[in-house]
Amino acid sequence: MRAARAILIVAAVMAVATRFLGWWAVPIVAALAALWDRSPGAGAMKVAVAAALSWGVLLVLQGLFGSSVISLGRDVATSLGVPALAPLVLTLVLPAILAASAAGVVAGVRRLKAPATT
Amino acid sequence: MPGRRNLLLTVSAVALAATVYASGCGVGPVPPLGSLLDPWNGVWSAAGNAELPARATASVPGLSHDVEVRYDDRGVPHIFAQSELDAYRALGYVVARDRLFQLDIQTRAASGRLSEMVGGVARALDREVRSLGMPRAAIAKWRSLPADGLGRRVLEAYSDGVNAYLDAIPKSAWPIEYRILNARPERWEPVNSLHLFMRMSNILTYVPSELERYAAQAKVGAAAAASVLSVHSRIQEPIQPNGSAAPWFDTTAILPPGAPDTSMIARTLAAAARQFADREAAPRFASNNWAVAPRRTRNGYALLAGDPHLELNLPSIWYEAHIVVPGVLDVYGVTIPGAPGIILGFNHDVAWSFTNTGADVIDFFQETVDDSLLPKQYLVDGSWKNVVRDVEIVRDNRGRAIIVDTMLYTHRGPLAKRGKLWLSMRWIPLEAPLDATGFVQAAKATTARAYLDSMARYWPTPSQNMIAADRGGAIAIRSTGRFPIRPNRGDGLTIRDGSNSQNDWQGDWPVVQYPQAFDPTQGYVASANQEPIDPRQSPAYLGTADSYEVWRALQINRLLRADSAVTPDAMRGFQTDPGSVRADLWMRALLEATASDTANAPKSLREARSLLASWDRRYTKENHQAILFETALGNITRLLWDELEDSAGGRVATPTGDVTLALVSQPHNAWWDSRATAEQHEDRDAILSRALVMAYDSLVARFGPATGDAWRWERVRPARISHLLQLRGFSANGIGVQGGYGTLNPSAGTGYGSSWRMVVELGPNVRAWGIYPGGQSGNPASARYRDRVAKWSNGELDSLRVPAVPGALTSPRFFLRLRAGTN
């Protein structure tokens, strides 16, 4: 439950930050979340899920208050010569990678600074 | 485990760096993924912005009073303003609201700066535009406009409106194309409208026929070239009625190909000539318009129809709007984004539409220069004049200079080397004053004559066959624009000696000499890019036959002669009428010429003949024979005019279809003989049979046997409506249409065609119908992006709503209030 709540909070922050700042808010929020979340292990995975969720929610909102993002995605894909679902999938995967790698860097630096254990 | 820690850090850092780089900078042709896929600010924002808000308010600097805009159910803005300038500010705003990217890209293309937006792929286009001197001329025209003149103030007002919209929107509201190109919109300058007018002039008047003629001379001699590339059309049904109730056919014999012209100028230009496409099959800009007097209409009111044939794009070249300034202006019609005014449309008294005149408004002069490599001076009447130099720098989308050209100019226009000759070009669009005064003033006309007189006063280029009809029952047509008078009343077919100023143009035609007709006895006027005046009535040189088309005019005249009680719906039906005089004339000849020895003819020929014989010669969507006929005619053109081919297999010139048809009555003319078979002597019948067999075999190879729907016209020759960036997902391809080349709806198989069909009935209350292929919105995610395509494809028209006051528009779709703002 705690993990789910953390994901939701990070996703909400990411969505708002993306809305006002743009895509680069994702790695920054992910890095901050990784700094905040000191639990070992699944930090990168959590922010990745949160990032995909945040952009997914924004997509849904665009479609909800505008026209279908599915058909727009299809038209964009045709225009760019990529598979029909590629823009949609990439829109969820890209923030996940950005967030996971940013969290990974924070975790890596933290471990590097931590005293070695045997 | 320091090794594992380092590995985790390294992998994460590399992944982060790579993803951030791809997101922020892009990789190769792929735009930056972050800004592209950002769900709020990237391509997906097009979905969120697909529809206009139901109610909106915005401020526009310069407005003297608030302006009310109500959009009807078709997305057409009805602008209610208190002054004309306020109305044009509002027009700029609403056009930008729906068509911002189109405004931008059109301007960049017209000003030779397209590469700045799309990169180096546009460098050839940018170079061509600049080499013609178009951006330079537009800027000079803008600078010469009087500060307090209406023309300038209208351009500035429109610019205020466009920029007010740009200032009002966040980045997330930029059109989707900017994400894909990783570009940003540019502020609108008033001169941009002049760039647009120059571009339209370029599209509609830049036909350097003399270069084509010299190249043909070098192949077949001057006499034969002049015979097949004739000045006048061989079939006459002119715009200015000639009193005849039937077309006139010129039966003068066509001279056979002769010895090549070895003169220096012909050889030089032949070597420098660009390759010309197959004229019969090549898509071309064209248009129809006609008006019928009350005595020939069922309701007793004048009727007018128009449909300009231009490149079909999404969004459309046209944007529909209605402008009301109480007591001053009440005009409805279509504007081109970037043009401050209604170009084709109607008010409460008059309706109007245009077709292209095809006048020759371009001439070349051979200059005597001081240095054949890089001239600094040129000779005129024994004195040396300085060549003006301009350095043109084309930049790409990263700001890098990709072309640096030194452009040269004489007092006549751009100076360029063609082969060994230095030629300067005089071209009306470069020197005629240009602004929006013409259509701004003419929109207030109350009679057809007043409309045409206003346009004759203010409209220099591109020359157009302007048709008008009014509520008083008058109908009129006039070919309007500046037509140069050459020395000694000569033609524009020769390259003149530039060292003698006597060879320069001597002025312009007076309006009284323009091709025109007011309320002719035949009870209708019509134009479809045919030769404006019957040469037997007026020998004055206006242009050459290669800029005219005979076929559609024949069909319009046939339809209008046959109907003495025309209705608005009949006018609508004519616009997509599948009949073709061209097919009627050719089919007779084709079947007769291939009839000999039918029993022993090859199977392909027998089957092809059988198919064609069963054709009703109508280009309906479901017919199976038109594709065979068109392919055969394309082959005939290729086989017949092989003498005009160059070593690369292209043709330096292609005679028009009426010349090809005229040769059918000369079966043994040497033009029919194929150069490829030196030992064999072909005549007409051999070439026509060969063309038909080739056509049949190629179609079977491509589509299979002519059974079922394999050769169905709408399937094999659909219209294409391409997105401005040719993006397939945002285009509407494969649109089945009724009609084809030579019919009144020549959209099939090309990306060109009827771009705005309009029918207006000038009764006590003006009624109007119209449609264009596309939709009002430039946003591909909008329901208003291509909502009219299906109706357009079926030849249907929408009823146009013309409310006199805001409250008269029932159930408006969107409201917009523009308030006076500050800079």
Side-chain angles (χ1 to χ4, degrees):
Chain A
M1 278 304 284
R2 273 186 64 184
R5 195 168 60 213
I7 287 173
L8 286 177
I9 290 170
V10 173
V13 173
M14 275 182 178
V16 172
T18 301
R19 159 75 175 79
F20 291 104
L21 301 176
W23 66 270
W24 51 270
V26 170
I28 291 174
V29 173
L32 292 173
L35 277 175
W36 173 66
D37 181 2
R38 290 180 168 270
S39 64
M45 181 61 76
K46 278 192 280 186
V47 292
V49 172
L53 183 63
S54 70
W55 280 31
V57 168
L58 289 175
L59 271 184
V60 170
L61 288 176
Q62 292 282 19
L64 217 56
F65 296 108
S67 67
S68 161
V69 291
I70 303 286
S71 63
L72 176 61
R74 196 182 51 229
D75 290 347
V76 169
T78 307
S79 296
L80 299 179
V82 297
L85 284 177
L88 266 176
V89 170
L90 210 52
T91 300
L92 301 179
V93 169
L94 180 72
I97 297 174
L98 278 169
S101 56
V105 168
V106 170
V109 170
R110 185 188 292 149
R111 285 185 196 179
L112 214 55
K113 286 182 176 174
T117 55
T118 55
Chain B
M1 305 281 280
R4 279 184 62 185
R5 292 180 199 175
N6 283 341
L7 182 64
L8 172 68
L9 181 59
T10 305
V11 169
S12 298
V14 168
L16 180 62
T19 321
V20 166
Y21 185 81
S23 298
C25 303
V27 181
V30 180
L33 290 176
S35 41
L36 183 77
L37 298 173
D38 179 333
W40 201 264
N41 303 294
V43 290
W44 305 107
S45 65
N49 297 317
E51 285 313 320
L52 300 175
R55 287 182 183 274
T57 303
S59 66
V60 178
L63 278 184
S64 60
H65 296 86
D66 288 1
V67 176
E68 180 110 11
V69 184
R70 295 193 178 192
Y71 292 76
D72 65 25
D73 54 337
R74 298 173 57 249
V76 178
H78 300 262
I79 297 167
F80 299 92
Q82 298 302 309
S83 77
E84 262 189 292
L85 292 181
D86 280 357
Y88 292 117
R89 282 187 185 87
L91 183 65
Y93 190 96
V94 298
V95 168
R97 203 178 186 210
D98 271 328
R99 302 286 186 86
L100 182 60
F101 178 74
Q102 183 180 17
L103 279 170
D104 199 353
I105 193 170
Q106 279 182 178
T107 299
R108 301 212 203 206
S111 57
R113 298 190 303 113
L114 193 57
S115 299
E116 292 174 13
M117 181 184 263
V118 304
V121 290
R123 73 176 68 202
L125 180 65
D126 283 345
R127 176 174 250 169
E128 184 188 349
V129 165
R130 295 186 191 213
S131 72
L132 293 176
M134 290 163 54
R136 181 180 187 264
I139 292 166
K141 289 173 203 299
W142 166 247
R143 288 180 179 151
S144 70
L145 287 179
D148 57 346
L150 179 67
R152 188 184 193 97
R153 284 184 294 142
V154 166
L155 298 182
E156 287 172 339
Y158 189 84
S159 176
D160 287 346
V162 174
N163 288 328
Y165 176 71
L166 260 175
D167 292 340
I169 58 169
K171 191 177 174 185
S172 61
W174 290 357
I176 191 170
E177 290 88 349
Y178 289 110
R179 322 289 165 192
I180 292 171
L181 293 172
N182 190 28
R184 56 188 307 123
E186 232 182 19
R187 284 189 74 73
W188 184 262
E189 300 292 337
V191 70
N192 292 355
S193 297
L194 301 186
H195 285 307
L196 173 71
F197 298 157
M198 288 299 298
R199 179 171 158 77
M200 292 310 295
S201 289
N202 173 231
I203 289 170
L204 296 169
T205 73
Y206 186 71
V207 186
S209 308
E210 49 272 72
L211 305 184
E212 188 176 323
R213 282 166 179 275
Y214 277 111
Q217 269 179 230
K219 295 286 176 191
V220 297
S227 185
V228 295
L229 301 174
S230 51
V231 171
H232 301 294
S233 299
R234 296 185 70 97
I235 307 176
Q236 286 292 330
E237 186 90 86
I239 292 171
Q240 179 175 298
N242 59 5
S244 171
W248 174 71
F249 291 79
D250 180 357
T251 54
T252 313
I254 291 171
L255 298 179
D261 179 349
T262 55
S263 67
M264 206 268 275
I265 194 165
R267 279 187 293 116
T268 299
L269 290 176
R274 63 183 168 94
Q275 304 303 308
F276 290 89
D278 175 349
R279 191 176 300 285
E280 272 289 293
R284 283 195 290 166
F285 298 106
S287 304
N288 309 319
N289 61 18
W290 62 90
V292 185
R295 69 173 185 278
R296 291 183 67 90
T297 66
R298 179 170 296 170
N299 297 335
Y301 307 128
L303 284 169
L304 178 140
D307 54 313
H309 304 164
L310 296 168
E311 193 167 0
L312 302 179
N313 285 127
L314 281 175
S316 164
I317 185 174
W318 301 111
Y319 183 79
E320 214 174 314
H322 177 208
I323 301 172
V324 180
V325 180
V328 180
L329 182 67
D330 188 342
V331 59
Y332 190 111
V334 286
T335 177
I336 298 175
I342 297 297
I343 296 176
L344 306 175
F346 57 93
N347 59 29
H348 279 303
D349 297 300
V350 186
W352 59 89
S353 191
F354 305 164
T355 66
N356 197 38
T357 302
D360 182 0
V361 294
I362 185 169
D363 274 349
F364 291 88
F365 297 82
Q366 184 180 348
E367 304 292 358
T368 305
V369 296
D370 62 339
D371 180 344
S372 66
L373 288 177
L374 191 57
K376 295 180 181 62
Q377 292 188 310
Y378 63 105
L379 198 62
V380 181
D381 297 337
S383 303
W384 290 98
K385 287 189 164 195
N386 288 332
V387 170
V388 175
R389 289 160 183 273
D390 269 0
V391 176
E392 296 279 0
I393 302 173
V394 177
R395 297 186 185 279
D396 68 6
N397 49 350
R398 296 186 176 186
R400 297 176 299 199
I402 52 173
I403 297 174
V404 179
D405 273 346
T406 300
M407 307 300 304
L408 307 179
Y409 296 90
T410 69
H411 68 287
R412 299 184 173 101
L415 174 68
K417 196 170 191 183
R418 292 184 188 255
K420 292 177 181 172
L421 308 177
W422 280 96
L423 301 182
S424 66
M425 178 182 76
R426 231 183 136 173
W427 183 29
I428 288 285
L430 293 182
E431 51 192 70
L434 264 185
D435 60 34
T437 311
F439 42 84
V440 165
Q441 293 291 47
K444 294 177 254 182
T446 55
T447 65
R449 182 178 281 276
Y451 178 85
L452 294 183
D453 286 349
S454 183
M455 291 304 276
R457 183 172 172 197
Y458 294 114
W459 183 279
T461 183
S463 52
Q464 298 289 292
N465 306 312
M466 299 182 177
I467 203 165
D470 64 36
R471 274 202 304 165
I475 57 169
I477 192 165
R478 180 188 272 156
S479 304
T480 301
R482 270 181 60 178
F483 308 120
I485 299 172
R486 273 94 179 177
N488 307 315
R489 301 280 156 180
D491 59 37
L493 302 176
T494 53
I495 291 175
R496 297 173 193 277
D497 176 9
S499 68
N500 185 348
S501 64
Q502 299 283 310
N503 289 327
D504 267 321
W505 291 347
Q506 315 280 306
D508 301 320
W509 285 28
V511 175
V512 70
Q513 199 184 336
Y514 288 5
Q516 54 197 304
F518 291 82
D519 300 314
T521 53
Q522 67 186 21
Y524 68 87
V525 284
S527 81
N529 313 102
Q530 77 270 43
E531 189 165 355
I533 303 184
D534 188 330
R536 295 169 301 168
Q537 294 188 319
S538 169
Y541 174 82
L542 186 65
T544 59
D546 62 343
S547 290
Y548 306 137
E549 191 208 296
V550 298
W551 310 117
R552 284 173 293 110
L554 299 177
Q555 182 66 8
I556 294 175
N557 278 274
R558 176 158 79 175
L559 292 168
L560 291 174
R561 281 194 190 105
D563 190 345
S564 57
V566 184
T567 63
D569 196 53
M571 300 278 271
R572 179 200 60 76
F574 293 167
Q575 288 179 326
T576 52
D577 182 87
S580 165
V581 174
R582 169 173 168 264
D584 292 343
L585 294 171
W586 261 107
M587 280 291 292
R588 200 178 309 141
L590 200 54
L591 291 175
E592 281 174 15
T594 55
S596 57
D597 201 15
T598 307
N600 295 319
K603 186 180 172 217
S604 296
L605 182 59
R606 279 185 278 124
E607 292 189 0
R609 283 196 84 259
S610 165
L611 257 177
L612 282 186
S614 67
W615 186 34
D616 63 2
R617 303 181 304 283
R618 290 166 66 81
Y619 289 69
T620 54
K621 285 184 181 179
E622 62 275 6
N623 93 84
H624 294 74
Q625 298 96 335
I627 186 63
L628 176 60
F629 173 71
E630 288 298 332
T631 310
L633 250 61
N635 290 339
I636 291 168
T637 303
R638 273 185 284 281
L639 293 168
L640 177 58
W641 303 118
D642 58 341
E643 288 82 357
L644 296 172
E645 282 176 5
D646 59 14
S647 53
R651 261 192 309 281
V652 297
T654 305
T656 51
D658 51 324
V659 175
T660 308
L661 180 64
L663 263 179
V664 169
S665 58
Q666 299 173 48
H668 301 292
N669 190 305
W671 282 103
W672 289 111
D673 188 28
S674 171
R675 283 192 315 166
T677 54
E679 73 291 348
Q680 208 176 326
H681 187 80
E682 289 89 356
D683 61 7
R684 175 198 66 187
D685 294 3
I687 293 298
L688 294 189
S689 297
R690 189 181 299 171
L692 194 53
V693 168
M694 284 166 59
Y696 184 83
D697 290 344
S698 69
L699 290 171
V700 169
R702 187 170 173 198
F703 300 117
T707 53
D709 284 343
W711 291 19
R712 192 178 168 94
W713 183 243
E714 66 176 338
R715 183 174 171 272
V716 297
R717 283 287 172 95
R720 297 188 301 273
I721 310 173
S722 297
H723 178 262
L724 290 171
L725 293 177
Q726 309 293 314
L727 297 174
R728 274 199 308 131
F730 301 158
S731 303
N733 293 325
I735 307 295
V737 290
Q738 174 168 280
Y741 179 69
T743 73
L744 297 186
N745 183 29
S747 311
T750 73
Y752 299 78
S754 300
S755 58
W756 163 243
R757 294 193 191 112
M758 178 181 75
V759 172
V760 185
E761 184 184 62
L762 284 304
N765 292 310
V766 173
R767 295 195 300 158
W769 301 262
I771 201 156
Y772 63 72
Q776 289 284 87
S777 175
N779 181 347
S782 170
R784 297 176 297 120
Y785 179 67
R786 52 186 124 191
D787 54 336
R788 303 173 177 188
V789 171
K791 273 189 169 181
W792 173 85
S793 156
N794 292 328
E796 298 171 37
L797 301 179
D798 284 331
S799 181
L800 309 182
R801 302 170 69 184
V802 196
V805 293
L809 183 69
T810 52
S811 55
R813 194 163 167 182
F814 314 110
F815 292 84
L816 170 68
R817 177 172 287 274
L818 298 175
R819 294 189 185 282
T822 53
N823 281 309

